[in-house]
Amino acid sequence: MIESAARHLGGVSKGALEQFGSVGAYYASKQKTFILIGSIAYFAAAFVDYRWIRWLGIPFYLVSLGLMGAVLMMPNSDEKVYQLQIGSLTFQPAQLGITAGILLIAWLLQDLPKLHRWFGAPFIKIGIIGVSAAVPFLMVMKMGDMGSALVWIPVCVVALIIGGIPFRYLTCMAFIGAGVLPLLYFVALPLVSERGPERIDTWLRMMNNRDVDIRGTAYAPYYISMAVGKAGWKGTGYKSDIESGSLIAKGFGSKTTFHNDYIFGVIGEEMGFRGSLLLLTAFAMLLIQGLFIAFYSRDVSGRLIACLVVALFFAHIFESIGMCVLIMPVTGIPLPLISYSGTFVVICMFLLGLVQSVWIHRNSRPEISVKPADA
């Protein structure tokens, strides 16, 4: 699907076109390289006991904060300000930040209460989760990557639930959050994101069948949703052209982001409802297996790792697909394992390797040596 979605792009060298035959094949080949690297990360994380990997939470967390700080210091003001250039590849430190945050939260919530029971108090757990998430959340919002920042919200909610926070605390936090939501939308959001309020307003207007500017802010969501909605059961076919009635082939939508942010729009139009249903079923099976593994985890950290990875994947899937069918505003977020995104593909496979490690080592117990009693 990346090969089909990326065939409308330009900017590829003549040598690359001669080697791969088309622009789409070039991007598909690069994605295969990222998948290969991700496979190495997957098996490395799967076969190493996660109780050792979770100790990397603090160094990973500090490194990710340092990289995000370096990005914020860059004198670049375009839309890709949150990316670091490493050779010919671009790196997104925001994705590393949430991975490090998952490891850090899983480690702290399990091991800190062993030092003193005071660390097991609900307020302390809430503070640990809040501080661990708030710093990278604010830094990512400052970068302008609202989609990657909002993913922290469901991850934190799941961390609070699995971390054992009493229901009365969660209810109180929910009421407080609902009370400050208008302040966040009307005051805080315009300060950290110029396009955020505009995108949400456009989405609300479209949801209520009000007039929108389909040549301006509503251009991409309008035509992407139209492409998905008119595809029918079978769709227009793989690599459909203008003659088959493909809106994407006609250039409607966002040509530069079909292969990453709007990949589901391409799948929905070309593969139809049956292809979309197959993809959603596969994702549902993956998430259910993650929850199954969490249920059989040997400790709290394994349960947290599995559940937080499921929360991360669900947030990306719901938002990425939702913005293509107008049930969510546009935020520019990749679809896990499907979108063209080198950093995110590798990190997703690493996280799935961690979940696999929780399952592989579910019956492992630390050896306890007992000295024989003196006769």
Side-chain angles (χ1 to χ4, degrees), residues 212-291:
V212 292
D213 183 10
I214 62 173
R215 295 184 179 181
T217 56
Y219 178 76
Y222 175 80
Y223 284 108
I224 292 295
S225 60
M226 286 286 291
V228 175
K230 74 172 188 59
W233 172 252
K234 295 183 178 180
T236 57
Y238 180 63
K239 288 187 177 180
S240 55
D241 51 18
I242 297 176
E243 286 72 18
S244 61
S246 170
L247 291 178
I248 294 176
K250 293 178 180 179
F252 293 102
S254 179
K255 286 186 176 181
T256 58
T257 54
F258 280 147
H259 61 309
N260 42 40
D261 294 344
Y262 291 107
I263 188 68
F264 182 78
V266 180
I267 296 173
E269 184 186 55
E270 296 187 357
M271 300 291 106
F273 182 77
R274 60 180 180 181
S276 303
L277 183 62
L278 179 63
L279 178 63
L280 289 173
T281 303
F283 274 132
M285 293 176 62
L286 178 66
L287 299 183
I288 291 172
Q289 285 182 332
L291 296 177

Side-chain angles (χ1 to χ4, degrees), residues 5 8 17 47 79 129 136 148 216 228 241:
H8 307 287
L17 288 177
F47 288 111
E79 295 181 356
I129 297 172
S148 298
V228 175
D241 51 18

Side-chain angles (χ1 to χ4, degrees), residues 27-330:
Y27 281 95
S29 177
K30 290 184 66 176
Q31 183 77 353
K32 292 175 186 177
T33 303
F34 296 137
I35 292 174
L36 178 61
I37 298 173
S39 299
I40 297 173
Y42 172 85
F43 286 107
F47 288 111
V48 176
D49 196 333
Y50 66 92
R51 68 173 180 168
W52 301 112
I53 298 178
R54 62 190 171 91
W55 289 98
L56 297 175
I58 289 182
F60 274 9
Y61 188 80
L62 295 177
V63 168
S64 64
L65 292 183
L67 292 174
M68 286 188 284
V71 171
L72 290 174
M73 297 297 293
M74 292 173 58
N76 190 0
S77 60
D78 62 12
E79 295 181 356
K80 295 184 179 180
V81 67
Y82 51 87
Q83 294 183 345
L84 285 175
Q85 189 75 22
I86 303 177
S88 60
L89 303 176
T90 56
F91 178 77
Q92 294 176 313
Q95 305 295 349
L96 178 61
I98 194 167
T99 303
I102 289 174
L103 291 173
L104 183 65
I105 291 173
W107 171 59
L108 293 178
L109 290 186
Q110 170 163 305
D111 291 336
L112 280 185
K114 296 178 182 178
L115 300 178
H116 195 281
R117 62 181 183 179
W118 181 75
F119 289 107
F123 278 115
I124 302 302
K125 289 184 177 180
I126 294 173
I128 291 172
I129 297 172
V131 173
S132 301
V135 177
F137 174 84
L138 294 175
M139 294 182 72
V140 175
M141 287 293 289
K142 184 65 176 177
M143 297 177 196
D145 191 0
M146 187 175 65
S148 298
L150 293 178
V151 169
W152 275 103
I153 297 177
V155 169
C156 289
V157 171
V158 173
L160 291 170
I161 296 173
I162 305 300
I165 305 301
F167 181 75
R168 62 182 182 275
Y169 288 85
L170 298 176
T171 304
C172 180
M173 293 171 62
F175 280 116
I176 294 174
V180 301
L181 188 61
L183 293 176
L184 296 176
Y185 178 74
F186 291 106
V187 179
L189 185 58
L191 296 176
V192 297
S193 177
E194 296 180 359
R195 296 180 298 172
E198 184 181 37
R199 287 178 171 180
I200 295 176
D201 180 68
T202 300
W203 170 66
L204 291 174
R205 293 176 68 88
M206 296 180 73
M207 288 289 290
N208 290 281
N209 294 322
R210 298 173 64 184
D211 293 335
V212 292
D213 183 10
I214 62 173
R215 295 184 179 181
T217 56
Y219 178 76
Y222 175 80
Y223 284 108
I224 292 295
S225 60
M226 286 286 291
V228 175
K230 74 172 188 59
W233 172 252
K234 295 183 178 180
T236 57
Y238 180 63
K239 288 187 177 180
S240 55
D241 51 18
I242 297 176
E243 286 72 18
S244 61
S246 170
L247 291 178
I248 294 176
K250 293 178 180 179
F252 293 102
S254 179
K255 286 186 176 181
T256 58
T257 54
F258 280 147
H259 61 309
N260 42 40
D261 294 344
Y262 291 107
I263 188 68
F264 182 78
V266 180
I267 296 173
E269 184 186 55
E270 296 187 357
M271 300 291 106
F273 182 77
R274 60 180 180 181
S276 303
L277 183 62
L278 179 63
L279 178 63
L280 289 173
T281 303
F283 274 132
M285 293 176 62
L286 178 66
L287 299 183
I288 291 172
Q289 285 182 332
L291 296 177
F292 180 83
I293 290 173
F295 182 80
Y296 283 95
S297 172
R298 69 185 180 187
D299 54 20
V300 175
S301 64
R303 192 175 305 115
L304 279 167
I305 288 174
C307 289
L308 294 185
V309 171
V310 169
L312 173 65
F313 272 63
F314 176 81
H316 273 265
I317 293 167
F318 187 81
E319 170 59 30
S320 182
I321 295 178
M323 71 180 188
C324 292
V325 294
L326 295 184
I327 62 173
M328 291 294 289
V330 174

